[in-house]
Amino acid sequence: MTETATIEDLARAADDAGASLVDEVNNLADRLTPRRMVDEALTVVKARGSDLARDAGNVVKAHPVATGAAVAAIGLALYAGNRISKAEIDLGHDLDDYSDYEDSALTAAATDGDVGDEARALVQDNPVIAILAGIAAGAALALLFPTSTAEKRSLGALARRVTSR
């Protein structure tokens, strides 16, 4: 036997469906409140951020020289970018006076008897270049001298690890 639904049954089903829809919309509105979304986002960031920090620490422990070099390169890039952003170029009325660098200090240092003061001024005006020149001079001097037994003892494992890659 088949039962036919009465109008009252259909109205009750429609009311139940409407109430269910209203509950779903209220739940969705509650889940999409800015406060709740921010709280959920912070929870996810905290959980994943600690994993990311742990992984970064492991990478730094595994590759300290490469990490140090990367940090130094980023620092130098930021420093150079800051210096470049503050640079001013005065071209005057034509391009004959234009120069990418200030060479008057070099000329004065070469012709003056007081080279120490000029060298100090150059280092103060261009610290990045001074650092790079110091690293290059140190590397050149290191190539001139043979490796000592103390260096082999203390840095031998690191040197083998760096040169094997």
Side-chain angles (χ1 to χ4, degrees), residues 55-73:
D55 292 344
N58 292 338
V59 168
V60 169
K61 287 177 186 173
H63 308 287
V65 175
T67 304
V71 168

Side-chain angles (χ1 to χ4, degrees), residues 60 63-81 127-128 131-132 135:
V60 169
H63 308 287
V65 175
T67 304
V71 168
I74 290 170
L76 286 174
L78 290 173
Y79 178 77
V128 174
I131 291 169
L132 294 176
I135 291 171

Side-chain angles (χ1 to χ4, degrees), residues 7-98:
I7 292 184
E8 291 83 21
D9 293 335
L10 292 175
R12 206 170 334 173
D15 288 341
D16 291 344
S20 176
L21 182 61
V22 168
D23 287 342
E24 287 296 320
V25 168
N26 287 336
N27 287 338
L28 183 62
D30 184 45
R31 286 183 20 209
L32 294 178
T33 59
R35 178 69 150 169
R36 185 166 178 180
M37 291 175 66
V38 167
D39 288 344
E40 288 176 1
L42 287 175
T43 302
V44 169
V45 166
K46 286 178 186 175
R48 296 222 171 102
S50 63
D51 293 341
L52 181 63
R54 189 178 322 105
D55 292 344
N58 292 338
V59 168
V60 169
K61 287 177 186 173
H63 308 287
V65 175
T67 304
V71 168
I74 290 170
L76 286 174
L78 290 173
Y79 178 77
N82 186 27
R83 295 272 302 196
I84 289 171
S85 70
K86 294 178 181 176
E88 294 179 14
I89 297 176
D90 182 16
L91 297 178
H93 295 298
D94 70 40
L95 295 176
D96 291 337
D97 298 331
Y98 176 72

